[in-house]
Amino acid sequence: LALTGDSVTRGQGAPFQGTYEALLEQRLNDDTRGRPPVEILNFAVGSYNVTQSMETAKVKAAPYRPDVYVFPLSKLSVYRAWAQHIALLMNAGIDLKYDYLRSVVRESGVKADDPINVFEAKIARFRLPTIKWVLTQMQAHAANQGASVMVLLIPTVEDVSVLEEEFLGVREILNELRIPYVDLLATFKDVDRSKYRVADNDTHPNAEGHKRLYENLYRELTKRPELMRLVL
C-alpha cells in the first residue's frame, strides 16, 4: 500500500513506528494466516496540499507498483489552504503542468502577486471541483497500474463540528465517484482532546492520538469486510 498525505500522516508529533499507519501495518501482520504480509510505504510530506499528494502518488509511489493507493484527506487538502501550492508555484513562475490547473487559474482570475487572502477568495469556488479532479486522476492512475484507491478522512485533534464544516461536500464527491473511504473525523469526539494533541496550539495528533486513529481505522476495517479485503 502506498500512503500519501501531509504532516498528520507523516507523523509529526508521533514517535518512530508510532504513527497510525505503522501501527496498522504491525496489526495486519500479527497474523498473516498464510497470506503475504502487508507493507505500507509512507510518502507523506509535511504541508503538502491535495494536488501535491496526487503528484507524489503518480511520480514517487508509482515505481513501487502498489496494490492500493491510500489517499488521506485532511483539512489542509480540503479547506481554505487547499490551493497554497498553486499560489507558491505561480509566485515562483513554475508551470502548473496540468491543463485543468491552468484553466482554474484563468477562470478564477488569480494573479501571482495577489495577497494570499485575495488569492484564496478568488479561487475558493474551485475547491470542490479540484478535489474531485484530483480523485478522478487518482482513479485513472491506479487503474492504469491495476491498483485500487482508498481514501481516509483524517482529522486533526479539534472539535468535530469544526471538522465537519471543513469537510463539507467531500463525502458526496467520494460517493459520486464510488471511491471506498474510511471516515475518521469523529476519532476525537467526546474526549479530552488535550491528551491527544501535540500541544494546546498544535492540533497534530501525538503518540496517543495516532494510537487512537489506528484503533478507529482498524475497527472500521473489521466492520467493513470489503475494505479489509481491499487492504489485504
Side-chain angles (χ1 to χ4, degrees):
L1 290 78
L3 186 73
T4 57
D6 57 23
S7 55
V8 176
T9 294
R10 183 179 66 82
Q12 181 173 323
F16 180 67
Q17 294 298 311
T19 60
Y20 74 84
E21 53 87 12
L23 296 171
L24 177 64
E25 180 185 73
Q26 179 180 334
R27 178 64 182 84
L28 293 174
N29 289 329
D30 280 345
D31 182 10
T32 57
R33 301 192 183 188
R35 62 168 170 77
V38 172
E39 182 178 15
I40 303 177
L41 300 179
N42 191 336
F43 293 92
V45 179
S47 298
Y48 264 24
N49 292 128
V50 65
T51 46
Q52 290 167 293
S53 291
M54 175 196 74
E55 193 72 356
T56 298
K58 288 186 171 187
V59 176
K60 295 195 173 182
Y64 292 86
R65 304 293 296 188
D67 297 293
V68 185
Y69 286 91
V70 183
F71 201 72
L73 292 174
S74 71
K75 65 184 295 179
L76 196 59
S77 288
V78 303
Y79 201 47
R80 288 176 179 168
W82 69 271
Q84 280 185 350
H85 177 230
I86 299 173
L88 290 170
L89 290 176
M90 289 180 63
N91 190 259
I94 298 173
D95 180 59
L96 297 180
K97 184 176 180 178
Y98 294 97
D99 287 339
Y100 171 81
L101 295 179
R102 296 188 190 105
S103 70
V104 166
V105 167
R106 285 195 304 272
E107 292 177 33
S108 65
V110 293
K111 305 297 182 185
D113 58 354
D114 279 341
I116 190 61
N117 289 340
V118 174
F119 186 97
E120 289 178 354
K122 286 181 177 179
I123 208 167
R125 64 190 174 97
F126 293 94
R127 178 179 68 92
L128 290 177
T130 301
I131 293 169
K132 183 176 180 179
W133 173 76
V134 164
L135 292 172
T136 58
Q137 288 282 305
M138 286 299 305
Q139 281 182 308
H141 171 71
N144 286 338
Q145 287 200 322
S148 303
V149 178
M150 182 172 72
V151 167
L152 306 179
L153 303 186
I154 294 289
T156 41
V157 188
E158 55 188 305
D159 192 316
V160 68
S161 64
V162 174
L163 291 167
E164 286 293 338
E165 180 180 332
E166 293 169 342
F167 279 78
L168 280 174
V170 175
R171 295 185 187 93
E172 288 79 1
I173 292 172
L174 292 166
N175 289 331
E176 179 186 346
L177 298 177
R178 298 184 179 180
I179 295 177
Y181 68 96
V182 181
D183 186 345
L184 301 175
L185 297 187
T187 297
F188 303 107
K189 183 180 180 181
D190 300 328
V191 296
D192 180 358
R193 289 187 290 275
S194 65
K195 295 180 180 179
Y196 298 101
R197 60 171 53 154
V198 171
D200 288 342
N201 62 347
D202 188 341
T203 60
H204 284 87
N206 59 17
E208 287 301 311
H210 273 270
K211 182 180 178 183
R212 191 173 180 89
L213 276 172
Y214 144 70
E215 290 171 343
N216 199 7
L217 173 55
Y218 185 73
R219 182 165 53 249
E220 289 300 310
L221 290 175
T222 55
K223 282 165 52 178
R224 298 170 61 186
E226 74 280 6
L227 287 183
M228 186 63 87
R229 284 195 297 271
L230 183 67
V231 169
L232 297 180

